[in-house]
Amino acid sequence: MEKGSGAAAGSSARPPPMPQLDEFPFEGKKPVKNPFVPIGALVTAGVLTAGLVSFRYGNSRLGQKLMRARVVAQGVTVALMVGSAYYYGDQIKLFKKGSSP
């Protein structure tokens, strides 16, 4: 019985305080959004779901084609992510260079 009370005493430590919004480390930075990345993720998830459903119903030929299409969609989504990070990263660097006092 005493072991249980020892464990309860150890769990009475308070969790660390939540950071305040005014202490947010990325203050003043606007997130860059590329609408094609979420669309690509949804297409990938949709093709994956369709492929798994076709496997479930025994249509393995269609399932294999859909799995290959999923790989292509996933590759395009990753390429869009890398491309937009590169493109917007250069714009942010140019903006910082031009706005420095």
Side-chain angles (χ1 to χ4, degrees), residues 2 5 7 10 22-23 26-27 32 44 52 56 59 73 75 80 89:
E2 290 183 33
S5 63
D22 56 348
E23 297 174 3
F26 302 111
E27 185 176 324
V32 179
T44 301
L52 292 174
R56 174 82 173 152
N59 193 350
L80 284 170

Side-chain angles (χ1 to χ4, degrees), residues 7-73:
S11 66
S12 65
R14 300 177 82 186
M18 294 293 292
Q20 300 297 322
L21 290 178
D22 56 348
E23 297 174 3
F24 190 65
F26 302 111
E27 185 176 324
K29 292 187 178 183
K30 184 178 179 182
V32 179
K33 293 185 179 180
N34 184 351
F36 296 115
V37 173
I39 291 171
L42 288 174
V43 168
T44 301
V47 172
L48 173 64
T49 303
L52 292 174
V53 167
S54 66
F55 278 132
R56 174 82 173 152
Y57 287 119
N59 193 350
S60 61
R61 181 170 286 173
L62 177 62
Q64 282 296 326
K65 287 182 181 181
L66 288 169
M67 289 298 125
R68 290 182 188 127
R70 176 196 55 88
V71 170
V72 171

Side-chain angles (χ1 to χ4, degrees), residues 29 90-101:
K29 292 187 178 183
D90 283 348
Q91 283 189 346
I92 290 171
K93 286 178 188 176
L94 291 174
F95 176 74
K96 285 183 180 178
K97 286 181 183 178
S99 66
S100 62

